[in-house]
Amino acid sequence: MKTIIGESVLDKLNGYLKDNSMYKLYIITDDIVNELYMNYLEKILKDFNLITYVLPSGEESKSIDNIMPIYDNLIENNIDRNTIILSFGGGVVGDVAGFVASTYKRGLKYIQIPTTLLAQVDSSLGGKVGIDYGGYKNIVGSFYFPEVVIIDISFLKTLGHKEVTCGLGEILKYGLIHDYSLFEFTRLNLKNIYKKDLNVILPIIKRSINIKQEIVSKDKYDIGLRKILNFGHTIGHSIESYYGFTKFNHGESIILGIMYESYIGKELGLIDEGYFDEIFTTLKNLVTPIRFSNEEINSLINIMKNDKKNINDNIGFILPVGKGKVNLYNNIEEQLIIKSLKGEWI
Ligand SMILES: NC(=O)c1ccc[n+]([C@@H]2O[C@H](COP(=O)([O-])OP(=O)(O)OC[C@H]3O[C@@H](n4cnc5c(N)ncnc54)[C@H](O)[C@@H]3O)[C@@H](O)[C@H]2O)c1
Ligand SMILES: [Zn+2]
């Protein structure tokens, strides 16, 4: 999959589309990105035939109810298979636009233009597209790869604090699963990242993309190695879902998930106290950890038991086993999960 990355690289889209004779474009975005950047995108695409569909910003847009009107709109506008879908926004827009592209008329080509840190380092890559259903994240979806991903880091300048934290969750995860030096560099540069120092952010994004692409290329359809990308996600997804996808965004939930799952790793003796402290001290400054009540823990574990990543009803965990290394475990005792969520160690 082709990626174009750098500061102010969006104008390369024009040449890419012309080189590939792609003239009819259907842009899917959300109201915030539309307000901030649609004029800029339209200027770059002045030679093209454009239709734009604007979703309300937020996770609620990743629902059946909110995507049906997109199909209606595609039909009303006689959109055919020569039209390219342009996803212009964060992970929500990317997942929805990719899902619509993968399903409408059995598949339209699509291009990702991610505008959040999380989307630039994670959700725009790897081809996973989908929506939430019945209270479960991403339960309806498919694998569908974009033609090109254009990562223009200048979009990050307008991101809020919470959205930066969100992207950091996935970046720190890449470091912990595959490249300890990325974790170290990111940890030491947190202030600069929040200040949107693009000279610091660019190498971090490039390294993150390399890691994700390396892992995905070895396991496109998530049957083996790719599962390590789910570090922090077993507990993280349950927290995100328990609070109705509103209190914590995806990356914040993953940061919490990494804390509790690292604690499980430490208790099992997979990592030592020193490494656990390093992870915990770094992450607790980004999202405040929670001591869950028994009732909350019951609900969280029920959500985990229904996780689509489980095999044979065992809750699957990716756990740290050393600096920048993780492994998959399927038989973690429930008591240990409960102990970690109780958080008496916090
Ligand atoms: N497909 C995958 O592989 C994958 C991986 C990780 C996460 N995800 C999904 O991604 C979603 C989260 O993505 P997200 O964190 O980007 O959320 P998001 O798309 O909701 O964006 C967060 C907020 O930032 C705003 N925004 C976007 N770009 C902006 C900019 N440049 N400046 C200012 N504001 C901007 C959005 O309008 C929104 O309000 C979740 O639904 C998650 O499940 C998917
Ligand atoms: Zn994630």
Side-chain angles (χ1 to χ4, degrees), residues 120-171:
Q120 296 195 344
V121 295
D122 188 1
S123 62
S124 65
L125 312 148
K128 282 189 181 177
V129 298
I131 55 173
D132 309 327
Y133 184 71
Y136 297 105
K137 286 276 298 172
N138 306 323
I139 193 113
V140 177
S142 61
F143 289 94
Y144 198 64
F145 288 82
E147 298 300 301
V148 61
V149 185
I150 299 182
I151 297 168
D152 185 337
I153 60 168
S154 33
F155 289 126
L156 303 179
K157 287 183 191 151
T158 48
L159 271 195
H161 188 92
K162 207 172 155 76
E163 272 68 47
V164 176
T165 307
C166 187
L168 277 170
E170 303 287 0
I171 292 169

Side-chain angles (χ1 to χ4, degrees), residues 30 59 62 90-92 95 115-116 118 123 128 137 155 158:
D30 74 17
E59 185 73 25
K62 266 176 71 171
V92 165
D95 281 7
T115 60
T116 62
L118 175 117
S123 62
K128 282 189 181 177
K137 286 276 298 172
F155 289 126
T158 48

Side-chain angles (χ1 to χ4, degrees), residues 75 180 238:
I75 294 166
Y180 181 69
S238 73

Side-chain angles (χ1 to χ4, degrees), residues 118 122 170 173 229-231 233 237 240 250-251 254:
L118 175 117
D122 188 1
E170 303 287 0
K173 176 198 76 179
L229 291 169
N230 289 324
F231 179 40
H233 284 57
H237 267 169
E240 192 179 8
H250 180 75
I254 289 345

Side-chain angles (χ1 to χ4, degrees), residues 52-289:
T52 301
Y53 189 94
V54 183
L55 287 160
S57 85
E59 185 73 25
E60 304 79 56
S61 284
K62 266 176 71 171
S63 67
I64 296 264
D65 289 347
N66 280 315
I67 69 162
M68 289 305 185
I70 306 182
Y71 293 121
D72 292 334
N73 190 261
L74 289 165
I75 294 166
E76 273 159 31
N77 285 290
N78 295 317
I79 298 300
D80 59 25
R81 298 185 79 231
N82 292 323
T83 304
I84 312 298
I85 302 236
L86 277 191
S87 157
F88 187 43
V92 165
V93 165
D95 281 7
V96 168
F99 184 70
V100 167
S102 80
T103 46
Y104 184 72
K105 295 200 172 170
R106 297 200 180 83
L108 264 52
K109 288 183 174 168
Y110 81 115
I111 291 174
Q112 289 269 20
I113 307 168
T115 60
T116 62
L117 184 58
L118 175 117
Q120 296 195 344
V121 295
D122 188 1
S123 62
S124 65
L125 312 148
K128 282 189 181 177
V129 298
I131 55 173
D132 309 327
Y133 184 71
Y136 297 105
K137 286 276 298 172
N138 306 323
I139 193 113
V140 177
S142 61
F143 289 94
Y144 198 64
F145 288 82
E147 298 300 301
V148 61
V149 185
I150 299 182
I151 297 168
D152 185 337
I153 60 168
S154 33
F155 289 126
L156 303 179
K157 287 183 191 151
T158 48
L159 271 195
H161 188 92
K162 207 172 155 76
E163 272 68 47
V164 176
T165 307
C166 187
L168 277 170
E170 303 287 0
I171 292 169
L172 292 164
K173 176 198 76 179
Y174 291 131
L176 293 171
I177 64 173
H178 198 69
D179 179 0
Y180 181 69
S181 66
L182 172 64
F183 177 77
E184 281 258 87
F185 183 75
T186 308
R187 179 169 75 88
L188 298 172
N189 276 292
L190 288 174
K191 269 199 187 135
N192 296 326
I193 297 167
Y194 279 109
K195 275 195 264 166
K196 322 276 172 52
D197 180 341
L198 296 183
N199 292 323
V200 169
I201 293 178
L202 185 60
I204 290 177
I205 295 186
K206 282 188 171 166
R207 183 68 190 121
S208 300
I209 292 173
N210 283 342
I211 294 174
K212 176 136 190 190
Q213 287 190 322
E214 186 189 327
I215 294 171
V216 170
S217 70
K218 289 181 185 155
D219 177 20
K220 253 180 145 181
Y221 298 108
D222 205 4
I223 47 172
L225 176 74
R226 188 166 174 173
K227 290 188 195 301
I228 68 170
L229 291 169
N230 289 324
F231 179 40
H233 284 57
T234 302
I235 292 182
H237 267 169
S238 73
I239 295 172
E240 192 179 8
S241 159
Y242 177 72
Y243 289 108
F245 307 113
T246 47
K247 182 167 174 182
F248 298 108
N249 62 32
H250 180 75
E252 290 173 318
S253 314
I254 289 345
I255 289 175
L256 288 168
I258 293 176
M259 288 185 218
Y260 298 104
E261 293 180 15
S262 298
Y263 176 81
I264 293 175
K266 185 206 68 161
E267 287 294 287
L268 289 172
L270 303 174
I271 54 168
D272 62 28
E273 193 93 31
Y275 184 44
F276 169 72
D277 281 346
E278 202 175 300
I279 299 173
F280 183 57
T281 322
T282 305
L283 300 191
K284 75 175 184 200
N285 289 324
L286 303 180
V287 184
T288 309

